[in-house]
Amino acid sequence: MSFVTHEGEPTDAELLFRVTRGDETAYRLIFRRHERPCYRVALGMTRSTWDAEEVVSSAFAELWRKRQNVRLVDDSALPWLLTVVSYAAKNHLRGAGRYRRLLGRIPREDVEPDHADEVARMVDSAAVSAEIQDALSRLNARDSAVVVLCLIEQLSTRDAAVALGVPEGTVKSRLSRVKARLRGDLAHVAPGAREVTE
């Protein structure tokens, strides 16, 4: 994957250097540059615009907090941010699941569902099938990060390894394991895929 840079604009490395010095303008530039791809990944994982916004906010807060330790890939902070988005989304989903289970124990009166929430759910799920999202949501945070970087954002295993701070062999083995698991979990969606890939 190659990252687009605009002539005359500072690189992520330059901006990040300024951010480490407390430059809020540089921080806002990095945010504007990478907000959309981060939001797209967060929305795909959380299935909710509200939750996706919260996850992206958490990821950029983490960028500010850990600005001295951000790892660049090909002079871009995006792979590091996508890794953080992936972990933040998994944590958010776990917390939301605990909250729903807690609410399920509380007796309640019959309440009409909010029409706006239903419309938002339908729009959010239009891009990715529910079965694929469910299969992805069952992955642990490390495997989800590999899926986001290598399969969704199409980074090389080398670049993903840099972003994750692990050896490339680790990324390759996780990717192989995840692909095999997803092929098994989703075999009924595309039954011929197993024969083609084996």
Side-chain angles (χ1 to χ4, degrees), residues 111-190:
V111 177
E112 285 291 319
D114 185 351
H115 178 68
D117 290 343
E118 184 60 30
V119 171
R121 262 194 300 282
M122 289 172 57
V123 169
D124 291 345
S125 64
V128 181
S129 98
E131 289 186 63
I132 293 171
Q133 285 184 333
D134 288 341
L136 292 173
S137 71
R138 289 190 295 270
L139 298 175
N140 65 41
R142 290 180 309 196
D143 291 346
S144 292
V146 169
V147 166
V148 165
L149 294 175
C150 294
L151 299 180
I152 296 173
E153 293 300 320
Q154 299 182 347
L155 262 66
S156 68
T157 53
R158 179 191 67 81
D159 290 347
V162 172
L164 294 167
V166 298
E168 184 177 3
T170 301
V171 172
K172 286 179 179 178
S173 64
R174 284 181 191 167
L175 186 58
S176 175
R177 185 180 65 244
V178 167
K179 283 181 174 180
R181 179 175 172 186
L182 291 175
R183 268 194 303 273
D185 289 352
L186 301 170
H188 64 285
V189 175

Side-chain angles (χ1 to χ4, degrees), residues 2-3 5 7 13 23 36 58 62 70 87 111 126 141 152 164 169 183-184 188 194:
S2 63
F3 302 103
T5 57
E7 194 171 315
D23 186 336
R36 282 191 174 166
S58 296
E62 195 70 3
V70 174
Y87 280 102
V111 177
I152 296 173
L164 294 167
R183 268 194 303 273
H188 64 285
R194 184 176 293 230

Side-chain angles (χ1 to χ4, degrees), residues 2 15 19 25 40 47 51 70 73 85 116 147 151 156 163 196:
S2 63
L15 290 174
V19 169
T25 302
R40 188 182 70 243
R47 305 182 211 177
D51 293 341
V70 174
V73 175
V85 165
V147 166
L151 299 180
S156 68
V196 170

Side-chain angles (χ1 to χ4, degrees), residues 7 9 14 34 38 58 76 88 101 110 114 134 143 157 183 198:
E7 194 171 315
E9 289 187 14
E14 294 164 339
H34 300 304
C38 288
S58 296
S76 176
R101 286 190 297 277
D110 290 336
D114 185 351
D134 288 341
D143 291 346
T157 53
R183 268 194 303 273
E198 289 178 348

